[in-house]
Amino acid sequence: SQQGEEDPQALSIQEGENATMNCSYKTSINNLQWYRQNSGRGLVHLILIRSNEREKHSGRLRVTLDTSKKSSSLLITASRAADTASYFCAGINTPLVFGKGTRLSVIA
Amino acid sequence: NAGVTQTPKFQVLKTGQSMTLQCAQDMNHNSMYWYQQDPGMGLRLIYYSASEGTTDKGEVPNGYNVSRLNKREFSLRLESAAPSQTSVYFCASSARGARAGRPYEQYFGPGTRLTVT
Protein backbone atom coordinates (compact mmCIF):
# COMPACT_ATOMS: atom_id res chain seq x y z
CA SER A 1 0.00 0.00 0.00
CA GLN A 2 1.16 3.52 -0.69
CA GLN A 3 -0.64 4.81 2.37
CA GLY A 4 1.22 7.53 4.20
CA GLU A 5 1.25 7.85 7.95
CA GLU A 6 1.35 11.38 9.27
CA ASP A 7 3.04 12.39 12.49
CA PRO A 8 2.17 13.92 14.88
CA GLN A 9 -1.53 13.17 14.96
CA ALA A 10 -2.23 16.60 16.42
CA LEU A 11 -0.20 19.79 16.68
CA SER A 12 -1.06 23.06 18.41
CA ILE A 13 1.04 26.20 17.91
CA GLN A 14 0.81 29.95 18.28
CA GLU A 15 0.21 32.18 15.30
CA GLY A 16 3.52 33.20 13.73
CA GLU A 17 5.31 29.98 14.70
CA ASN A 18 6.38 27.36 12.20
CA ALA A 19 4.56 24.05 11.96
CA THR A 20 6.27 20.85 10.88
CA MET A 21 4.49 17.60 10.16
CA ASN A 22 5.93 14.38 8.90
CA CYS A 23 4.84 11.57 6.65
CA SER A 24 6.26 8.07 6.40
CA TYR A 25 5.40 5.40 3.90
CA LYS A 26 6.29 1.76 3.51
CA THR A 27 6.80 1.15 -0.19
CA SER A 28 8.74 2.98 -2.85
CA ILE A 29 6.93 5.85 -4.49
CA ASN A 30 7.55 8.02 -7.49
CA ASN A 31 5.89 11.13 -6.18
CA LEU A 32 4.21 12.39 -3.04
CA GLN A 33 1.45 14.91 -2.50
CA TRP A 34 0.22 16.91 0.47
CA TYR A 35 -3.40 17.92 0.91
CA ARG A 36 -5.22 20.17 3.38
CA GLN A 37 -8.71 19.64 4.76
CA ASN A 38 -10.55 22.40 6.52
CA SER A 39 -13.18 21.26 9.00
CA GLY A 40 -16.19 19.82 7.23
CA ARG A 41 -14.75 20.36 3.76
CA GLY A 42 -13.16 18.26 1.05
CA LEU A 43 -9.41 17.94 0.61
CA VAL A 44 -7.48 20.57 -1.31
CA HIS A 45 -4.21 19.82 -3.08
CA LEU A 46 -1.25 21.79 -1.69
CA ILE A 47 1.92 20.56 -3.32
CA LEU A 48 3.46 17.64 -5.17
CA ILE A 49 7.09 16.57 -4.88
CA ARG A 50 8.66 14.10 -7.29
CA SER A 51 11.00 11.32 -6.27
CA ASN A 52 13.97 13.05 -7.90
CA GLU A 53 13.38 16.21 -5.87
CA ARG A 54 14.64 16.68 -2.33
CA GLU A 55 12.92 19.93 -1.51
CA LYS A 56 10.19 22.08 -2.94
CA HIS A 57 8.74 25.43 -1.97
CA SER A 58 5.35 27.01 -2.56
CA GLY A 59 4.69 30.28 -0.76
CA ARG A 60 4.92 29.55 2.97
CA LEU A 61 5.08 25.81 2.36
CA ARG A 62 8.28 23.82 2.23
CA VAL A 63 8.21 20.10 1.49
CA THR A 64 11.13 17.71 1.73
CA LEU A 65 11.38 14.16 0.53
CA ASP A 66 13.89 11.53 1.63
CA THR A 67 13.34 8.45 -0.47
CA SER A 68 16.03 6.48 1.39
CA LYS A 69 14.11 6.94 4.64
CA LYS A 70 10.73 6.76 2.94
CA SER A 71 9.66 9.98 4.58
CA SER A 72 8.52 13.49 3.79
CA SER A 73 7.96 16.61 5.83
CA LEU A 74 5.73 19.63 5.38
CA LEU A 75 6.80 22.90 6.95
CA ILE A 76 4.41 25.82 7.18
CA THR A 77 6.26 29.00 8.07
CA ALA A 78 4.79 31.99 9.91
CA SER A 79 1.56 30.12 10.54
CA ARG A 80 -1.79 31.86 10.57
CA ALA A 81 -5.09 31.02 12.22
CA ALA A 82 -6.40 30.22 8.73
CA ASP A 83 -3.86 27.37 8.51
CA THR A 84 -5.88 25.47 11.11
CA ALA A 85 -6.82 22.27 9.29
CA SER A 86 -5.91 18.62 8.88
CA TYR A 87 -3.01 17.80 6.59
CA PHE A 88 -2.65 14.56 4.67
CA CYS A 89 0.10 13.04 2.59
CA ALA A 90 -0.45 10.55 -0.20
CA GLY A 91 2.07 8.66 -2.26
CA ILE A 92 1.30 8.58 -5.93
CA ASN A 93 -0.42 5.36 -6.59
CA THR A 94 -3.34 4.22 -8.61
CA PRO A 95 -5.41 5.58 -6.95
CA LEU A 96 -4.26 7.80 -4.06
CA VAL A 97 -4.43 6.35 -0.56
CA PHE A 98 -4.50 8.72 2.40
CA GLY A 99 -3.36 8.37 6.00
CA LYS A 100 -5.18 9.71 9.05
CA GLY A 101 -3.62 13.13 8.81
CA THR A 102 -2.15 15.68 11.20
CA ARG A 103 -4.63 18.04 12.86
CA LEU A 104 -3.01 21.45 13.10
CA SER A 105 -4.44 24.13 15.38
CA VAL A 106 -3.01 27.63 15.08
CA ILE A 107 -3.96 29.79 18.01
CA ALA A 108 -4.26 33.52 17.44
CA ASN B 1 -16.70 25.97 -13.34
CA ALA B 2 -18.45 24.33 -10.39
CA GLY B 3 -15.70 21.70 -10.02
CA VAL B 4 -16.97 18.61 -8.23
CA THR B 5 -20.52 18.73 -6.95
CA GLN B 6 -22.26 16.25 -4.66
CA THR B 7 -25.90 15.74 -3.78
CA PRO B 8 -27.38 15.57 -1.27
CA LYS B 9 -25.33 17.47 1.32
CA PHE B 10 -27.04 15.75 4.24
CA GLN B 11 -29.09 12.58 4.50
CA VAL B 12 -30.64 10.55 7.32
CA LEU B 13 -31.61 6.96 6.60
CA LYS B 14 -33.14 4.17 8.63
CA THR B 15 -31.37 0.84 8.75
CA GLY B 16 -32.21 -1.18 5.66
CA GLN B 17 -33.14 1.77 3.46
CA SER B 18 -31.35 2.37 0.19
CA MET B 19 -30.12 5.54 -1.45
CA THR B 20 -27.85 6.85 -4.15
CA LEU B 21 -25.26 9.57 -3.68
CA GLN B 22 -24.68 11.63 -6.77
CA CYS B 23 -21.41 13.16 -7.94
CA ALA B 24 -20.68 15.22 -11.03
CA GLN B 25 -17.60 17.05 -12.31
CA ASP B 26 -17.36 19.64 -15.07
CA MET B 27 -13.58 19.55 -15.60
CA ASN B 28 -13.60 16.84 -18.26
CA HIS B 29 -11.66 14.55 -15.92
CA ASN B 30 -11.11 10.91 -16.76
CA SER B 31 -11.00 9.43 -13.28
CA MET B 32 -13.43 9.65 -10.39
CA TYR B 33 -13.38 8.31 -6.84
CA TRP B 34 -15.55 7.75 -3.79
CA TYR B 35 -14.04 8.02 -0.30
CA GLN B 36 -15.46 7.48 3.17
CA GLN B 37 -14.27 9.52 6.16
CA ASP B 38 -15.19 8.85 9.76
CA PRO B 39 -14.70 11.63 12.36
CA GLY B 40 -11.04 12.35 13.05
CA MET B 41 -9.94 9.72 10.58
CA GLY B 42 -8.38 9.64 7.17
CA LEU B 43 -10.13 8.85 3.93
CA ARG B 44 -10.76 5.30 2.89
CA LEU B 45 -11.28 4.55 -0.77
CA ILE B 46 -14.57 2.79 -1.53
CA TYR B 47 -14.56 2.56 -5.33
CA TYR B 48 -12.96 4.37 -8.20
CA SER B 49 -13.38 4.70 -11.94
CA ALA B 50 -10.14 5.12 -13.86
CA SER B 51 -12.02 6.05 -17.01
CA GLU B 52 -15.52 6.09 -18.39
CA GLY B 53 -16.87 2.56 -18.54
CA THR B 54 -14.61 1.09 -15.85
CA THR B 55 -14.96 0.75 -12.09
CA ASP B 56 -12.73 -0.89 -9.50
CA LYS B 57 -12.99 -1.72 -5.82
CA GLY B 58 -11.01 0.23 -3.25
CA GLU B 59 -10.27 -0.59 0.37
CA VAL B 60 -13.83 -0.76 1.71
CA PRO B 61 -16.26 -1.70 -1.10
CA ASN B 62 -18.59 -3.98 0.86
CA GLY B 63 -22.13 -2.65 1.11
CA TYR B 64 -21.72 -0.26 -1.82
CA ASN B 65 -22.16 -0.25 -5.56
CA VAL B 66 -21.15 2.37 -8.08
CA SER B 67 -22.11 3.45 -11.55
CA ARG B 68 -20.03 5.57 -13.91
CA LEU B 69 -23.00 6.95 -15.76
CA ASN B 70 -20.92 8.98 -18.23
CA LYS B 71 -17.68 10.92 -18.12
CA ARG B 72 -19.17 13.56 -15.83
CA GLU B 73 -21.11 11.48 -13.33
CA PHE B 74 -20.20 8.80 -10.81
CA SER B 75 -22.83 7.60 -8.35
CA LEU B 76 -22.54 5.58 -5.15
CA ARG B 77 -25.39 3.38 -4.02
CA LEU B 78 -26.11 1.91 -0.61
CA GLU B 79 -28.47 -0.98 -1.14
CA SER B 80 -29.30 -1.67 2.51
CA ALA B 81 -27.94 1.00 4.84
CA ALA B 82 -26.38 0.01 8.15
CA PRO B 83 -25.40 2.20 11.15
CA SER B 84 -21.75 1.39 10.41
CA GLN B 85 -22.14 3.37 7.18
CA THR B 86 -22.75 6.59 9.09
CA SER B 87 -19.97 8.74 7.71
CA VAL B 88 -19.04 11.57 5.40
CA TYR B 89 -18.69 10.58 1.77
CA PHE B 90 -16.41 12.48 -0.58
CA CYS B 91 -16.29 12.26 -4.31
CA ALA B 92 -13.12 13.28 -6.16
CA SER B 93 -11.89 13.46 -9.73
CA SER B 94 -8.57 13.73 -11.52
CA ALA B 95 -7.58 14.58 -15.06
CA ARG B 96 -5.26 11.68 -15.74
CA GLY B 97 -6.37 8.11 -15.54
CA ALA B 98 -5.89 6.53 -12.14
CA ARG B 99 -3.87 3.81 -13.83
CA ALA B 100 -1.61 6.22 -15.68
CA GLY B 101 1.11 5.94 -13.05
CA ARG B 102 1.95 9.62 -13.52
CA PRO B 103 1.45 12.44 -11.03
CA TYR B 104 -2.06 13.73 -10.83
CA GLU B 105 -3.98 16.04 -8.54
CA GLN B 106 -7.33 15.07 -7.14
CA TYR B 107 -10.16 17.56 -6.81
CA PHE B 108 -12.69 16.93 -4.07
CA GLY B 109 -16.36 17.69 -3.67
CA PRO B 110 -17.84 19.19 -0.48
CA GLY B 111 -19.04 15.84 0.87
CA THR B 112 -22.32 14.18 1.80
CA ARG B 113 -22.98 13.66 5.50
CA LEU B 114 -24.92 10.46 5.97
CA THR B 115 -26.48 9.25 9.21
CA VAL B 116 -28.00 5.79 9.47
CA THR B 117 -30.21 5.19 12.50
Side-chain angles (χ1 to χ4, degrees):
Chain A
S1 169
Q2 301 286 356
Q3 182 175 5
E5 294 185 5
E6 295 86 355
D7 174 68
Q9 291 187 1
L11 179 62
S12 183
I13 60 174
Q14 297 289 327
E15 200 168 33
E17 294 181 337
N18 295 341
T20 300
M21 51 206 88
N22 304 295
C23 169
S24 60
Y25 51 92
K26 295 180 178 173
T27 60
S28 296
I29 61 169
N30 292 325
N31 306 277
L32 187 137
Q33 299 185 55
W34 283 90
Y35 285 77
R36 182 187 74 228
Q37 183 182 32
N38 290 95
S39 181
R41 309 289 292 273
L43 275 67
V44 175
H45 179 262
L46 291 176
I47 193 166
L48 179 150
I49 186 166
R50 299 172 189 270
S51 60
N52 61 354
E53 297 176 309
R54 292 295 168 260
E55 187 172 311
K56 193 167 184 177
H57 295 255
S58 176
R60 293 184 297 111
L61 305 180
R62 173 178 167 254
V63 171
T64 63
L65 181 63
D66 188 333
T67 53
S68 65
K69 295 182 179 178
K70 293 186 171 61
S71 68
S72 173
S73 68
L74 171 67
L75 168 68
I76 304 174
T77 60
S79 62
R80 305 166 182 169
D83 294 328
T84 294
S86 291
Y87 293 82
F88 297 86
C89 66
I92 298 297
N93 195 14
T94 53
L96 295 181
V97 178
F98 296 90
K100 295 181 180 180
T102 291
R103 293 186 302 281
L104 174 66
S105 297
V106 181
I107 303 166
Chain B
N1 288 347
V4 179
T5 57
Q6 294 182 235
T7 56
K9 287 186 168 56
F10 300 93
Q11 183 70 50
V12 178
L13 292 178
K14 294 186 188 303
T15 298
Q17 288 185 319
S18 62
M19 80 160 294
T20 299
L21 281 64
Q22 305 287 351
C23 174
Q25 51 90 9
D26 62 1
M27 297 172 282
N28 200 35
H29 284 173
N30 288 313
S31 299
M32 299 184 73
Y33 316 81
W34 277 105
Y35 290 91
Q36 177 187 44
Q37 185 178 36
D38 293 328
M41 302 293 285
L43 281 75
R44 291 183 294 176
L45 181 68
I46 306 172
Y47 271 94
Y48 68 101
S49 171
S51 59
E52 187 178 356
T54 69
T55 60
D56 285 286
K57 295 178 180 179
E59 304 168 80
V60 289
N62 292 342
Y64 305 94
N65 284 301
V66 291
S67 295
R68 184 73 183 267
L69 304 170
N70 48 55
K71 192 171 186 180
R72 289 187 63 248
E73 299 171 290
F74 188 38
S75 63
L76 178 71
R77 182 163 178 82
L78 286 71
E79 292 292 350
S80 179
S84 61
Q85 294 178 305
T86 293
S87 191
V88 181
Y89 292 85
F90 289 100
C91 177
S93 70
S94 63
R96 295 189 176 97
R99 299 195 183 107
R102 294 173 293 167
Y104 60 93
E105 175 183 339
Q106 284 187 310
Y107 293 79
F108 284 78
T112 293
R113 284 145 188 81
L114 175 67
T115 301
V116 183
T117 61

